[in-house]
Structure formats: C-alpha cells, structure tokens
Amino acid sequence: MNAPVLVINCGSSSIKYALIDSDPQAPRLAGLAERLGSSDARLKGKNSAGESFTQPLPNADHAEALNAILQRLEGRVPGAVGHRIVHGGEHFTQAALVDDSVIEAIETTAALAPLHNPANLAGIAATRKVFPELPQVAVFDTAFHQTLPPRAYRYALPEALYTEHGIRRYGFHGTSHAFVSQRAGELSSRGAGGWLTAHLGNGCSTAAVWNNQSLDTSMGLTPLEGLVMGTRSGDVDPGLHAHLHRQLGWSVDEIDNVLNKQSGLLGLSGLTNDMREVEDQAMAGHPGAKLALDVFCYRIAKSLAALSCALPTLDGVIFTGGIGENSPIVRREVLALLPHFGFSLDEAANEATIRGKEGKLDSAGHSGPEVWVIPTDEEGRIAMETRHCVETPE
Ligand code: AMP
C-alpha cells in the first residue's frame, strides 16, 4: 500500500491526527481537534509548509471535526486509518482490522478502561462514517505486553478474579516500548537482546524487552501502577485505599481522583505536573520540587532494577518520552542510582542529547550495558502496524 495512513487518537473531547507516508521520514500533516462539544472547540495543526493554523469549530462533534481534518489533508487520500486503542484486554495480541466482531470485543474490554475505550470507539464510529470505504485498523496499547509470562502478569489474588473478571497486569504504552526497543536493536551492535525501556512523559512506564518481546512492565491492570507520573501516584500500599476510606471517610471516586489527578509530581511538589518547572524550581531550592525530582528518579531506578530480573542478559537502557528525551538531569540521576549495573554515562553526550535527538550516551571505550536516548514515534509505529495489518490480513 503506497497511500499514506491516517493515524487517529481519539479522546472523549479530542482527536489527535497524523497523516503518515509510507516513507517514515517524509514530512507529516498533523494536528489536534480539541474541546469538542464546547463552544470553543477548535482544530490546530501544521500544513506541509510547516505553517501553523488554528480553525474554530464551535460545538463540533467528532464526525464534524474529522470532516474538518479531511479538508486539511491537502488533497492527499489515505489508504487506511489506524486507531490508537488503549485497552485490548487478553483478546488482542496484535493490531486488528476493524469489523463488527472487533468492535464488540473492544466494547467488552471497556470495563477495564472505562475512560478510554468508549472514546476510542467513538473515534472508530465517526471515522467509518466519514471514510466508509477505507480499511480501519485498531492498534492496542496493551498488545505488545501480551507476551508477559504468568509470573509477571498475575497478581497474588484469588484465581477467580483473574479467570472470571480479567484482573491481571496488562501494561500500556506498548507501541512506544515496541518502537524504541526495536530501534535500539537496529542501531546497536548488540541487536535485539535484552533492553530496559523507560517511557517518561506525562504518563511513565518501564518495560523489559527480550528479542522484541515484552517480558515485564511497570503498569498493570490500569495505567496507574508503577512509576511516579505527572499527576498519578504510581505504586502505593494496596492498604491505602481502605485506610483513606476508614480514617478519612473518602469515597472510591475521591480516592481514585486523588491517585490519578492530584498526586505524582504535582502532589509531591505542590506546584506542577510539568517536569521542566519541577527541575527549575528544584534548582532554585524549592523543597517540594527537590523531593518530587528525587522520588521520581529513585522510583524509575528501582523499577529498572526490578525489571532486570526478567532479562537473561542486559544489553542496555533506553530513555524516551518528553522527559526521557529532554532531561539530562533525570537520566543522570537515574543512572547514578544504578552503579552496580555497569553503565557509564558520557556527561557531554547526555547534555547534548535533547529535543528529538537520537543517540548513545556511553563513555568512549565502554563495553558494559549501553545507554540510549531514542525519541519515541507512537504514531509512526501505529501507521506501520496499520499498513502491515492491511497488507497481510490473517
Ligand atoms: P510527553 O507526555 O511525552 O509529551 O511528556 C511531557 C513531559 O515532558 C512534561 O512533564 C514536560 O515537562 C516534560 N518535558 C518536555 N521538555 C522537557 C525538558 N526540556 N526538560 C525536562 N522535561 C521536559
């Protein structure tokens, strides 16, 4: 298929899009329709000349926004649409060509991702209306982690909770962990060995990838487990929920809201969920920001050390995501907490590898496990999987 792929990431009030050519290096048309359903809904993006535009779309719904996006594709006709779907449960181990049975399976999984899957399905419905003739492909955040062995994906809970209710660890950010680990295997002389990946953005997760297969990851049943994130707590004592309920009288919804929206960097710093500001304030001596940075880095290092147990050999660590790609401070602090792993960071390379640069950060002559920064390309990976699915249907 030579035609470009339209990649859609649909939220409850937003649609992120990118038109991606078969040559992954070709310039992309990309943008974001946001605040859908409200009077200040709008479409923002860039044209092929790199010029930004903002178009008001008052009260537009998803289908109207897609029609506006269609007008921004500069006459280029996509050959397929690739949808980012957050949760594929155990049903989807790879991308799937959308038909009624796939939609039904995504609906069934919605209980596991009540905020995300219904919005993703609304995106599929609107896209089918606007592009009825195009093949649509569902690409799942969870699918890459379906290779986890039971010892990594089972919680130590009564079996019926797993067999009857699907309570297990699923993992997320799969397209990102898959993309950066595969890329490291291509770039490094070590090939597709054992890689620890750290996707550090607003959401954060780590994974252990062996031979392009995920063997463990830090997120679990939901994207709340694991690392400290922008506003998410990551791991807490499972007894915390009962304690907050009994001692403070908090409801399940209040607890959920605090752990997902008021915790993480924001909760610890008392200032912000934005790592740039946390770093600036920490440098200026703000105690909350210093603590937030400290806990954030320590928890990443602890998670990487734990996940190394999943790998037969350790070939290196990969940093990606807005923080992983842009923060020499976080990379330095995390690696400093893992002295027994034999990494050797070249400080100049660390400082210079920011703003979308790809690179190995090892000191000259170093022969231990490698340190890489690889900018993630979740949209490119979704386009690639969409293309593959359309060209080689099961
Ligand atoms: P993402 O969700 O991947 O877009 O990442 C967003 C996170 O990346 C936010 O916490 C930003 O503050 C952080 N970030 C972006 N640029 C930088 C930077 N130059 N230094 C530190 N953090 C950054």
Side-chain angles (χ1 to χ4, degrees), residues 141-207:
D141 263 21
T142 49
F144 181 60
H145 300 300
Q146 278 297 301
T147 47
L148 259 60
R151 69 178 185 188
Y153 73 68
R154 283 293 295 275
Y155 292 113
L157 292 169
E159 189 183 13
L161 285 175
Y162 168 59
T163 52
E164 291 169 27
H165 302 285
I167 307 294
R168 52 159 282 180
R169 308 183 64 254
Y170 290 95
F172 297 86
H173 292 140
T175 50
S176 180
H177 292 293
F179 176 82
V180 299
S181 54
Q182 186 177 339
R183 183 85 186 127
E186 288 160 8
L187 292 169
S188 165
S189 58
R190 292 164 175 264
W195 295 96
L196 292 171
T197 53
H199 176 106
L200 310 175
N202 276 320
C204 300
S205 65
T206 48

Side-chain angles (χ1 to χ4, degrees), residues 59-389:
N59 303 312
D61 62 11
H62 284 81
E64 284 161 333
L66 273 170
N67 270 311
I69 289 168
L70 184 59
Q71 305 308 312
R72 294 285 176 177
L73 301 185
E74 304 182 1
R76 294 168 67 196
V77 182
V81 183
H83 293 270
R84 177 188 179 206
I85 309 292
V86 167
H87 218 307
E90 286 189 327
H91 194 92
F92 295 104
T93 56
Q94 57 186 12
L97 202 52
V98 173
D99 58 18
D100 291 344
S101 71
V102 165
I103 289 183
E104 207 178 304
I106 299 172
E107 276 167 356
T108 312
T109 314
L112 294 170
L115 298 180
H116 293 104
N117 275 26
N120 301 156
L121 280 166
I124 292 182
T127 318
R128 279 176 129 189
K129 222 194 274 177
V130 177
F131 304 104
E133 73 293 354
L134 289 187
Q136 317 261 337
V137 174
V139 182
F140 300 90
D141 263 21
T142 49
F144 181 60
H145 300 300
Q146 278 297 301
T147 47
L148 259 60
R151 69 178 185 188
Y153 73 68
R154 283 293 295 275
Y155 292 113
L157 292 169
E159 189 183 13
L161 285 175
Y162 168 59
T163 52
E164 291 169 27
H165 302 285
I167 307 294
R168 52 159 282 180
R169 308 183 64 254
Y170 290 95
F172 297 86
H173 292 140
T175 50
S176 180
H177 292 293
F179 176 82
V180 299
S181 54
Q182 186 177 339
R183 183 85 186 127
E186 288 160 8
L187 292 169
S188 165
S189 58
R190 292 164 175 264
W195 295 96
L196 292 171
T197 53
H199 176 106
L200 310 175
N202 276 320
C204 300
S205 65
T206 48
V209 184
W210 172 251
N211 259 332
N212 294 319
Q213 297 211 318
S214 176
L215 295 185
D216 204 353
T217 188
S218 61
M219 283 178 167
L221 174 72
T222 74
L224 183 57
E225 188 175 331
L227 304 179
V228 173
M229 312 185 209
T231 61
R232 284 174 249 169
S233 62
D235 291 342
V236 291
D237 183 336
L240 175 70
H241 301 66
H243 179 83
L244 292 175
H245 175 67
R246 291 190 191 119
Q247 300 302 317
L248 305 184
W250 289 8
S251 69
V252 168
D253 285 343
E254 282 171 312
I255 296 168
D256 196 47
N257 182 54
V258 165
L259 295 183
N260 276 291
K261 306 230 167 98
Q262 297 174 40
S263 300
L265 293 176
L266 174 65
L268 282 167
S269 71
L271 292 173
T272 176
N273 63 335
D274 189 309
M275 181 51 93
R276 276 164 295 203
E277 210 180 320
V278 169
E279 287 183 357
D280 289 348
Q281 291 296 327
M283 294 307 133
H286 187 282
K290 278 163 82 173
L291 179 69
L293 189 58
D294 222 23
V295 177
F296 183 81
C297 293
Y298 180 66
R299 291 272 291 274
I300 296 165
K302 207 160 120 168
S303 174
L304 292 171
L307 288 193
S308 71
C309 297
L311 296 175
T313 63
L314 176 60
D315 289 292
V317 61
I318 305 161
F319 290 95
T320 194
I323 299 170
E325 293 165 30
N326 290 298
S327 174
I329 296 176
V330 168
R331 297 189 298 239
R332 185 174 54 237
E333 294 299 312
V334 169
L335 294 171
L337 289 161
L338 298 166
H340 36 303
F341 279 71
F343 298 116
S344 178
L345 184 68
D346 180 302
E347 215 17 84
N350 185 36
E351 290 295 330
T353 310
I354 50 172
R355 290 197 206 94
K357 278 202 209 142
E358 180 175 80
K360 185 151 79 130
L361 307 188
D362 292 352
S363 311
H366 173 65
S367 59
E370 298 176 349
V371 179
W372 285 85
V373 174
I374 299 187
T376 195
D377 185 6
E378 292 173 277
E379 287 158 349
R381 175 83 190 188
I382 291 172
M384 190 268 274
E385 290 192 29
T386 299
R387 223 171 260 289
H388 181 75
C389 192

